[in-house]
Amino acid sequence: MADLTDWLNNIPELDGARCVEVGHDVFFPGQGENDLVRQARAICAQCPAAAACLAHYINETDGIYAGTTGRQRAAMRRHTRKEQTSGRY
């Protein structure tokens, strides 16, 4: 896998992202690796690019992006679709 710095350099909105300061594995924990999830969320909580990260990676099913898991992002997508179909924004 490419270095996170190289990967994020292609996304100008994510300049200054804190994830480049730590290993890639932190953001892709395995099943039951709750310590890594907590560590990733703590990093994301201090990241100036978190909102742009979530907007860019909302459709990703794996990994921690902007402090959210794939399940949480799926719930956000469902919620957004539900609001859009009900006519409420």
Side-chain angles (χ1 to χ4, degrees):
M1 169 139 290
D3 180 89
L4 278 175
T5 304
D6 295 335
W7 181 55
L8 292 173
N9 281 339
N10 295 321
I11 307 167
E13 299 85 5
L14 299 182
D15 283 348
R18 296 280 164 91
C19 55
V20 300
E21 300 170 7
V22 297
H24 177 266
D25 294 347
V26 171
F27 298 95
F28 293 90
Q31 187 74 18
E33 291 185 298
N34 297 328
D35 288 342
L36 287 180
V37 172
R38 282 190 287 279
Q39 184 180 356
R41 285 184 170 155
I43 294 165
C44 293
Q46 300 298 316
C47 184
C53 179
L54 182 58
H56 191 82
Y57 293 107
I58 190 72
N59 292 315
E60 288 293 323
T61 57
D62 296 319
I64 305 293
Y65 294 97
T68 63
T69 65
R71 284 184 179 177
Q72 290 170 320
R73 291 187 301 278
M76 289 175 188
R77 291 189 305 271
R78 283 190 304 273
H79 180 74
T80 299
R81 280 193 303 269
K82 187 175 180 179
E83 283 187 343
Q84 289 172 345
T85 58
S86 71
R88 294 185 338 206
Y89 287 92

